[in-house]
Amino acid sequence: YNAIAPRSQVSVSVWRNQASTSLTFTKVSGSELLNDTAGVVYTGSAWAWKNASSVGSISYQNDIYATTHVGDSFSLTFNGTGVDMITEKYSDEGQIAIYIDGVLKQTITCAQSTRAYQQTVYTITGLAAGHHTIKGVMKTGTYMIVDAFNVHS
């Protein structure tokens, strides 16, 4: 789904009561907010999904993915012209190296003295329309958290 172009038709089949129903819908053409579970690939040894009953209750859709291992990474392939990374900020967060299409763009910091949820910590716009990949690599800190992504088309 993330790889198809905005305004494309999407067809799905749903099974219910031992019968198939076909549905067709159009992918949105504006910004689209994607949860941390929407096609994100997590690489490394320490990733864990946290729901509302653990620590994800104030996050987008009440869940997050978090790692405690420097070097772990996430990546999301999307079809659009830009993307925002949304996460938490707090004193136990550290630096994240952000890559777009394999090129290091910036090392961001998510450390601050007070906890803040659903924070946009990285934005890139003006990409050519089409497929792109955002990747983040944990450089420092106790945690790296992934909450959501806002894809621009």
Side-chain angles (χ1 to χ4, degrees):
Y1 174 83
N2 295 340
I4 65 171
R7 296 186 277 304
S8 294
Q9 293 289 306
V10 178
S11 297
V12 296
S13 293
V14 178
W15 281 87
R16 183 163 186 220
N17 295 329
Q18 298 179 340
S20 175
T21 301
S22 295
L23 304 168
T24 300
F25 61 93
T26 302
K27 185 174 179 182
V28 299
S29 62
S31 293
E32 184 173 23
L33 194 58
L34 301 175
N35 193 33
D36 54 69
T37 58
V40 181
V41 175
Y42 297 97
T43 305
S45 60
W47 285 103
W49 178 74
K50 310 286 186 178
N51 62 14
S53 65
S54 54
V55 296
S57 63
I58 302 175
S59 301
Y60 178 66
Q61 294 192 348
N62 295 317
D63 70 341
I64 60 170
Y65 265 87
T67 186
T68 56
H69 187 264
V70 170
D72 282 3
S73 65
F74 66 84
S75 63
L76 172 71
T77 299
F78 61 94
N79 193 320
T81 59
V83 66
D84 305 326
M85 180 189 171
I86 301 166
T87 187
E88 294 178 16
K89 289 184 166 187
Y90 192 48
S91 59
D92 57 3
E93 309 290 323
Q95 293 182 324
I96 304 171
I98 301 291
Y99 297 80
I100 300 294
D101 299 331
V103 176
L104 176 63
K105 293 294 185 178
Q106 185 177 352
T107 298
I108 61 170
T109 184
C110 297
Q112 71 177 35
S113 60
T114 57
R115 186 176 300 277
Y117 297 91
Q118 297 187 42
Q119 300 296 297
T120 299
V121 295
Y122 180 77
T123 298
I124 189 167
T125 59
L127 299 172
H131 294 104
H132 300 283
T133 300
I134 181 172
K135 178 180 179 179
V137 179
M138 182 177 179
K139 302 306 271 182
T140 65
T142 304
Y143 292 98
M144 178 171 70
I145 294 174
V146 177
D147 187 6
F149 296 90
N150 189 28
V151 175
H152 307 272
S153 62

